Amino acid sequence: VGVPRNAEKALMAIRESGGLTVNVTDEEIMAAQQLLGRTCGVFGEPAGVTGTAGVKKLCEAGKIGRDDTVVSVVTGNGLKDVANAIAACGDPITIPSDMNRLLAAFAEKGIQAEGV
């Protein structure tokens, strides 16, 4: 965020909780958007998935351990910014409402559908 809504309050909360901050790039944010869609079926807008991008970065840096509990709130739906989603993920799959065709389209793209 270029200009945080209440930077002093945020910094105070970080200091009081013993928390930390991490910067993420636009590329990391768009990768988080793809990750959430592929692994959780969550379509978040870039601003809404920024926290998830930070969690991923902190995991990779070893700041968050494998057994730690973390909550990442996705605050905005991807439909708010479809253009960036298409730029990051490609055009959506368009198929008739038929489960066999859906599964075939998933298989073509290497997407695994579990529990179907």
Side-chain angles (χ1 to χ4, degrees):
V1 174
V3 181
R5 178 163 293 214
N6 196 332
E8 290 197 27
K9 191 173 183 179
L11 288 171
M12 186 173 62
I14 292 165
R15 290 181 183 122
E16 287 177 1
S17 68
L20 56 97
T21 62
V22 62
N23 289 329
V24 292
T25 65
D26 288 346
E27 292 77 19
E28 290 167 323
I29 293 167
M30 300 314 283
Q33 186 179 36
Q34 288 181 330
L35 177 68
L36 284 171
R38 288 188 182 274
T39 60
C40 306
V42 172
F43 182 30
E45 66 161 324
V49 303
T50 300
T52 301
V55 168
K56 183 177 184 293
K57 191 169 192 172
L58 291 170
C59 287
E60 291 168 350
K63 300 286 185 181
I64 297 174
R66 180 173 286 281
D67 295 325
D68 291 342
T69 300
V70 177
V71 174
S72 178
V73 178
V74 179
T75 58
N77 187 296
L79 294 175
K80 289 173 70 177
D81 190 357
V82 175
N84 271 324
I86 290 172
C89 304
D91 289 325
I93 301 170
T94 303
I95 58 167
S97 58
D98 177 283
M99 183 58 78
N100 291 329
R101 288 185 182 183
L102 175 65
L103 294 175
F106 280 2
E108 248 180 60
K109 297 205 175 267
I111 300 170
Q112 294 182 359
E114 297 180 23
V116 179

